[in-house]
Amino acid sequence: MNIQTAIDATDDTRIDIRHSTCPHDCPSACALDIEVVGGTTIGRVRGSKQQSYTAGVICAKVARYAERIHHPERLMHPMRRTGPKGSGQFAQISWDEALDEIAAKFSEAERAFGAESVWPYFYAGTMGLVMRDGINRLANVKKYSRFYSTICATIAWAGFSAGTGRVAGVDPREMAKSDLIVVWGTNPVNTQVNVMTHVARARKDHGAKLAVVDIYDNDTMKQADIKILLRPGTDGAFAAGVMHVLFRDSLADRAYLAKYTDASPELEAHLSSRTPQWASDICGVPVAEIEAFARLVGETPRSYFRLGYGFTRSRNGAAQMHAALCIPTITGAWQYEGGGAFFNNAAIWKFDKTLIEGLDLLDPATRRLDQSKIGRILTGDAEALKNGPPVKAMLIQNTNPMTVAPEQAKVREGFAREDLFVAVHEQFMTETALMADIVLPATMFMEHDDLYYGGGHQHISVGAKLIDAPGECRSNHAVLQGLASRLGASHRAFDMTPRDIIDETLVVSGRGSIGALQAELWRDIQPDFRASHYLDGFAHADGKFHFKADWSAVPMPNAGLMGAWDAMPSFPDHWAVTEAADDAHPFRLATSPSRSFLNTSFNETPSSQAREGAPCVMMHPDDAAGLSIVDGDAVTLGNPRGETTLTARIFPGLRRGVLIAESVHPNKSHIGSQGINMLTGGEAVAPYGGAAFHDNKVWVRKVV
């Protein structure tokens, strides 16, 4: 492996620069240069200049990673609960005791209620393929309940795939060659800093314009040349109004439409009544701004639409993503370098994960439980349980559902069950770990080997182990090995090292060996220009971009149609299915991502805590004045699902009636210890599931 010695002194002061990839739940998957001090500790972490997407830039929270990996409150030893659930009363035990007890409880549940009463539960605390997805191997071998991942991207994936036929788009580095970058539904200053690197290059090199479409004047919008401030859940109306102007003013590329798209005459007829005034009445954007944005897009062939995960947080998010994606298609922007659209590169990886996940032993008849419905599942909802047995035992890795899952009142009730056995494998004592019967200490990414890809770019890489883990921390793979041997779960991957699994996965996926990939550091697998721009046809069977979406047959992995899929508009439109404000709940609340936390990762580090401060909610000055609320007042937000109390922040950069609460702070950080997801619903979003985290009606009361 490429190692550069920066200081050649005594063993405990020598600094080696090693290479890795950020594993956190972020599309940037940044390439990292890491100082390893004396072979045992981590120093500074920098973005690698050798990788063309990261380009030497990383977010501040990862730059401070030494603060996290060497945190004094890291879990170091296995523990058994000795007091009531949530009390924090634990006693240290050995690994053998811990694994023996977990295996015994899993076997007990299986004997009494069947294998499906055990539910391995995980998510994206690490995006490494071995450490994230290996838990599926245990589920598949043992026929435990399977896991349907819906909490993040499902909704937006459906919208993008409905148009293009697959989730892949224009090389994101082409933003640097664009004349107009439209950042829509994402706040990359907070969440994907590398997007801003390539935007900055375009602005510096040839005076490109940055347009930002969002629901509040966030840190990205503050840098924009064109600011489009929407009401939540109205992106489809704004997009339809823009497209009306494109057709009306002959800014549509009709030759491109005839060759590459379906149903463009029907689309034009449909949009004839979606005037800018109609759109303005719904989305709140003045008619003049809609007209000006449409003209700018229509007159700028090299317009790049960088579409984000905000679409996947709304009940009409799939339709809204599809509507936004249709705009650069009408103008034919896909034809030009620096033009077109991008959301995620999921379709280009093509990793064969049979070994990692034990797919050779998958039984499709085994029930698949929806991650977003964990509250309903743990409180015995028959529909959520697929009319099967109750969940009696869980192993949780890489996620913190006691804070991040919707319907927190139900989640809390479920985890409080005395008849539910829970083992949590974690790095810190999260609020989920506090509810566990057994807590296991977990490694961090610099302490084990793994395989990574970048959802927001085109590189794959191996992240090698750089230092030994502290205390008795073990990797996810090691825990699964220990349980498999006790449960009689036989699969050859349980007998392999992570490096061996990575090597075979790469080979069978046609990506060479682990040694070859490590020698390259990061491999660029971006498809060529014609493929990325769909110049030989889109990925649907007819080779066309679909303006007319068939929501019943979107080409993407799913667990069947859900929600009001049959009421979704076929053509781009405003779909009024969001949780509308009413007299009892006059505000719309969005829980947008912060800059220094990542879901609930980094909320244990002092520097991130200092930057974010206490939980607060942004309110328009006129809304606050009407309720006699001033900056710094304690306010309670509520709806039929629950309540939370936090601090008011008066903020003019949003529409009247809109509230923004950035980040997922720990529940305990809120006044009264009721977190923001007390307000979030858990019903499945059309067409294939998901959770509408930014789509909540609430009332507001000043705490007196």
Side-chain angles (χ1 to χ4, degrees):
M1 182 145 188
N2 189 340
I3 304 173
Q4 302 158 14
T5 302
I7 298 176
D8 189 8
T10 61
D11 286 345
D12 59 351
T13 62
R14 188 186 73 251
I15 299 179
D16 296 329
I17 307 301
R18 304 287 298 272
H19 306 291
S20 192
T21 298
C22 180
H24 288 281
D25 188 10
C26 167
S28 287
C30 289
L32 304 178
D33 293 340
I34 300 169
E35 292 182 350
V36 179
V37 183
T40 60
T41 60
I42 297 302
R44 295 180 181 179
V45 180
R46 300 179 178 88
S48 175
K49 296 179 180 179
Q50 298 180 57
Q51 199 231 64
S52 58
Y53 184 75
T54 299
V57 178
I58 59 171
C59 68
K61 54 187 174 285
V62 173
R64 302 188 298 263
Y65 213 86
E67 180 183 25
R68 187 169 195 271
I69 197 169
H70 300 305
H71 197 294
E73 295 179 9
R74 274 194 70 177
L75 296 174
M76 295 291 186
H77 308 284
M79 293 182 289
R80 177 188 292 120
R81 179 171 60 86
T82 59
K85 289 192 173 187
S87 67
Q89 298 175 36
F90 291 90
Q92 182 177 333
I93 58 176
S94 70
W95 267 103
D96 282 339
E97 289 176 291
L99 294 173
D100 286 347
E101 184 166 338
I102 296 168
K105 291 293 186 180
F106 280 19
S107 296
E108 178 184 320
E110 183 175 357
R111 287 193 298 271
F113 297 94
E116 289 183 337
S117 67
V118 180
W119 189 24
Y121 190 97
F122 70 104
Y123 201 52
T126 177
M127 295 295 285
L129 299 188
V130 175
M131 301 302 167
R132 182 189 65 194
D133 299 327
I135 194 170
N136 287 327
R137 187 186 327 121
L138 183 66
N140 289 332
V141 172
K142 289 292 295 177
K143 314 305 177 192
Y144 294 153
S145 285
R146 295 188 292 146
F147 182 86
Y148 182 40
S149 170
T150 57
I151 216 165
C152 184
T154 310
I155 301 167
W157 274 42
F160 200 94
S161 292
T164 62
R166 65 173 190 160
V167 179
V170 175
D171 186 335
R173 294 168 298 192
E174 285 188 35
M175 281 184 286
K177 300 178 181 180
S178 300
D179 295 318
L180 172 66
I181 301 104
V182 179
V183 171
W184 192 338
T186 181
N187 179 9
V189 168
N190 280 15
T191 63
Q192 302 176 54
V193 66
N194 309 95
V195 170
M196 301 307 294
T197 300
H198 300 283
V199 170
R201 286 181 176 174
R203 298 174 94 176
K204 179 181 178 181
D205 292 349
H206 51 271
K209 299 290 187 182
L210 171 64
V212 175
V213 185
D214 217 306
I215 61 172
Y216 72 116
D217 190 13
N218 55 43
D219 286 346
T220 303
M221 188 176 283
K222 286 178 171 64
Q223 298 187 26
D225 302 291
I226 300 98
K227 301 182 179 185
I228 303 296
L229 193 64
L230 303 173
R231 295 185 180 118
T234 63
D235 307 66
F238 174 72
V242 169
M243 289 185 280
H244 172 98
V245 176
L246 293 175
F247 279 115
R248 183 198 70 194
D249 293 355
S250 300
L251 295 170
D253 186 332
R254 295 188 181 278
Y256 180 85
L257 293 175
K259 182 176 180 180
Y260 286 101
T261 72
D262 77 331
S264 62
E266 291 177 69
L267 173 65
E268 184 174 2
H270 164 75
L271 292 170
S272 63
S273 62
R274 272 57 175 178
T275 65
Q277 185 61 62
W278 169 88
S280 178
D281 291 343
I282 296 169
C283 70
V285 180
V287 168
E289 293 183 19
I290 296 173
E291 296 267 6
F293 180 84
R295 285 194 300 273
L296 180 62
V297 170
E299 294 170 358
T300 310
R302 295 196 302 175
S303 294
Y304 191 109
F305 279 62
R306 184 60 175 84
L307 306 174
Y309 287 78
F311 292 101
T312 207
R313 310 286 188 256
S314 178
R315 287 171 176 80
N316 60 4
Q320 293 187 126
M321 168 65 91
H322 177 250
L325 182 64
C326 289
I327 296 175
T329 309
I330 288 176
T331 66
W334 294 96
Q335 300 168 92
Y336 307 104
E337 186 176 34
F342 181 83
F343 163 60
N344 184 286
N345 250 338
I348 76 171
W349 309 118
K350 300 178 181 177
F351 283 120
D352 183 335
K353 296 201 290 182
T354 300
L355 185 64
I356 292 173
E357 298 193 32
L359 298 178
D360 49 329
L361 294 179
L362 183 152
D363 182 355
T366 305
R367 72 176 175 184
R368 195 175 179 190
L369 299 180
D370 187 339
Q371 165 192 27
S372 297
K373 294 185 179 181
I374 183 174
R376 301 182 187 198
I377 288 164
L378 295 186
T379 53
D381 182 286
E383 182 181 2
L385 286 164
K386 309 288 187 182
N387 296 309
V391 169
K392 304 291 285 187
M394 300 179 73
L395 169 65
I396 298 175
Q397 292 183 324
N398 312 328
T399 189
N400 183 15
M402 273 290 293
T403 307
V404 304
E407 297 184 326
Q408 277 288 300
K410 287 184 170 65
V411 174
R412 290 181 175 209
E413 179 185 349
F415 273 104
R417 284 171 38 203
E418 288 298 329
D419 68 327
L420 174 67
F421 174 82
V422 176
V424 174
H425 186 205
E426 253 296 356
Q427 298 161 347
F428 294 94
M429 186 59 76
T430 64
E431 288 168 305
T432 304
L434 283 171
M435 299 298 288
D437 299 282
I438 298 289
V439 175
L440 306 172
T443 52
M444 293 189 185
F445 77 102
M446 301 178 200
E447 299 161 352
H448 57 241
D449 298 307
D450 216 334
L451 175 63
Y452 301 98
Y453 60 82
H457 55 85
Q458 57 282 103
H459 294 86
I460 62 174
S461 62
V462 174
K465 178 180 175 180
L466 305 183
I467 61 173
D468 289 333
E472 296 183 84
C473 295
R474 292 188 184 179
S475 72
N476 291 2
H477 179 67
V479 168
L480 297 171
Q481 285 180 308
L483 288 175
S485 65
R486 289 164 170 81
L487 290 164
S490 178
H491 191 281
R492 63 190 186 89
F494 289 127
D495 300 320
M496 300 170 68
T497 67
R499 290 186 64 82
D500 289 340
I501 293 173
I502 294 167
D503 188 60
E504 183 169 327
T505 297
L506 288 169
V507 170
V508 300
S509 303
R511 301 294 186 193
S513 67
I514 187 172
L517 182 54
Q518 282 191 267
E520 295 176 51
L521 301 183
W522 302 280
R523 183 179 301 158
D524 182 346
I525 62 168
Q526 178 67 39
D528 65 26
F529 182 87
R530 293 192 65 83
S532 300
H533 288 254
Y534 296 101
L535 297 184
D536 295 317
F538 285 88
H540 289 293
D542 60 2
K544 304 289 188 179
F545 181 96
H546 285 190
F547 289 129
K548 190 173 185 178
D550 181 358
W551 298 111
S552 68
V554 177
M556 60 174 283
N558 65 81
L561 290 160
M562 299 181 189
W565 65 269
D566 52 347
M568 296 180 72
S570 297
F571 285 112
D573 210 340
H574 173 62
W575 186 31
V577 72
T578 54
E579 191 166 273
D582 53 36
D583 290 342
H585 310 86
F587 294 94
R588 289 290 309 281
L589 169 71
T591 54
S592 303
S594 70
R595 193 165 185 172
S596 296
F597 295 160
L598 179 52
N599 302 321
T600 61
S601 295
F602 298 96
N603 63 22
E604 68 286 321
T605 56
S607 60
S608 290
Q609 292 170 343
R611 175 176 172 82
E612 294 302 325
C616 68
V617 60
M618 302 179 198
M619 297 187 68
H620 191 279
D622 293 343
D623 289 331
L627 295 170
S628 299
I629 293 169
V630 300
D631 202 76
D633 279 348
V635 295
T636 299
L637 315 184
N639 62 23
R641 291 180 284 269
E643 300 179 6
T644 186
T645 301
L646 61 177
T647 303
R649 176 185 163 198
I650 310 307
F651 181 71
L654 34 68
R655 298 286 177 193
R656 290 285 309 271
V658 177
L659 306 174
I660 301 291
E662 285 190 336
S663 188
V664 184
H665 290 260
N667 297 321
K668 64 184 180 182
S669 297
H670 286 249
I671 301 167
S673 298
Q674 306 282 335
I676 199 70
N677 281 317
M678 295 293 293
L679 306 172
T680 304
E683 63 274 9
V685 175
Y688 299 118
F693 284 96
H694 295 182
D695 190 354
N696 303 285
K697 65 180 182 182
V698 297
W699 48 256
V700 179
R701 295 173 188 160
K702 181 178 178 178
V703 176
V704 294

